[in-house]
């Protein structure tokens, strides 16, 4: 089992690999009670008004306790993020987009407590961003006949959150709004005006395209 996990991790690009390892380690630590599970729950008030900054870091890697469901979710997320990370010519741009998404999410959580951890929300927004950029090339075929855009699935899940679980509009928007903002800045504005608003600070100041 250990060899299988190591082989899987070896095929994952650097940033996603570090995030995956962080998720696995935190799941193990909380399951063993080395880290109090209550300390990994993110709250804007506790982090920024009470100074409990560890919650912010923990929440980025929080996928729940160490069990099969969490492990499957982590590796499915790692698969999605690996595809997205590999699509970037510059790894620092991928890291910068993650940072921008996190900043937007934190700002939104200052208004309402999120329904999931920051790590889960980051993943949802990165997948949304990927679907917006490459969705037309990734249609899913049902029954070998009907082509369905993958963007249908987030719409379905958000509808379930609203009508079944009675989540607020802002809680639901946390799943896709930051990703939509970044997609608009990176893709739409870039194509219209020829400006890359999502370049990392290094590229803004150095004006270079070398990795």
């Amino acid at each position: 089992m250990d060899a299988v996990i190591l082989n899987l991790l070896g095929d994952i690009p650097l940033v996603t690999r570090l995030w995956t390892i962080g998720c696995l380690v935190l799941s193990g630590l909380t399951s063993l009670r080395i880290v109090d599970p209550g300390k990994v729950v993110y709250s804007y008030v506790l982090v920024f008004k009470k100074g409990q900054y560890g919650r912010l870091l923990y929440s980025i890697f929080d996928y729940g306790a160490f069990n099969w469901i969490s492990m499957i979710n982590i590796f499915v997320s790692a698969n999605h993020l690996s595809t997205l990370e590999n699509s970037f010519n510059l790894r620092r741009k991928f890291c910068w987009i993650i940072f921008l998404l996190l900043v937007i999410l934190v700002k939104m959580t200052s208004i309402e407590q999120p329904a999931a951890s920051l790590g889960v929300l980051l993943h949802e927004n990165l997948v949304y961003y990927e679907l917006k950029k490459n969705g037309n090339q990734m249609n899913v075929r049902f029954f070998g006949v009907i082509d369905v855009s993958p963007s249908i699935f987030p719409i379905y899940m958000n509808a379930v959150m609203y009508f079944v679980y009675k989540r607020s509009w802002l809680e639901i928007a946390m799943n896709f709004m930051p990703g939509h903002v970044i997609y608009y800045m990176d893709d739409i504005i870039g194509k219209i005006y020829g400006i890359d608003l999502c370049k990392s600070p290094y590229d803004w100041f150095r004006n270079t395209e070398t990795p």
Side-chain angles (χ1 to χ4, degrees), residues 38-199:
K39 297 292 186 180
V40 306
V41 178
Y42 170 80
S43 163
Y44 183 89
V45 173
L46 291 177
V47 171
F48 295 100
K49 295 187 177 181
K50 302 293 185 179
Q52 299 180 21
Y53 299 109
R55 291 179 181 270
L56 178 63
L57 179 63
Y58 284 144
S59 188
I60 294 173
F61 299 101
D62 180 22
Y63 257 70
F66 196 90
N67 54 49
W68 282 110
I69 294 177
S70 295
M71 296 307 101
I72 291 172
N73 286 337
I74 289 171
F75 281 105
V76 168
S77 299
N79 182 60
H80 288 151
L81 298 182
S82 294
T83 301
L84 182 58
E85 183 175 349
N86 285 329
S87 71
F88 282 87
N89 293 326
L90 300 173
R91 182 173 288 136
R92 58 178 171 266
K93 181 173 179 178
F94 178 64
C95 295
W96 182 243
I97 283 178
I98 292 176
F99 176 76
L100 293 176
L101 288 172
L102 181 61
V103 169
I104 297 172
L105 279 170
V106 167
K107 181 60 180 177
M108 294 177 75
T109 62
S110 69
I111 303 173
E112 185 159 357
Q113 175 70 16
S117 71
L118 293 179
V120 172
L121 293 175
L122 275 172
H123 170 245
E124 292 294 330
N125 280 278
L126 285 165
V127 170
Y128 179 88
Y129 169 84
E130 180 186 15
L131 290 177
K132 292 294 289 183
K133 291 198 71 170
N134 306 309
N136 293 332
Q137 307 169 22
M138 302 165 56
N139 285 351
V140 177
R141 176 161 291 189
F142 282 104
F143 309 111
V145 178
I146 305 172
D147 283 334
V148 177
S149 171
S151 59
I152 293 296
F153 299 110
I155 294 174
Y156 169 76
M157 294 305 298
N158 291 329
V160 169
M161 287 183 65
Y162 182 74
F163 292 107
V164 178
Y165 295 104
K166 308 299 182 183
R167 298 293 187 181
S168 71
W169 280 106
L170 185 57
E171 285 179 290
I172 296 171
M174 290 179 193
N175 290 311
F176 66 89
M177 187 59 69
H180 189 78
V181 171
I182 297 301
Y183 165 74
Y184 184 82
M185 291 171 58
D186 184 37
D187 199 72
I188 304 301
I189 293 180
K191 287 179 179 178
I192 294 175
Y193 299 104
I195 303 173
D196 187 357
L197 294 178
C198 291
K199 284 196 300 187

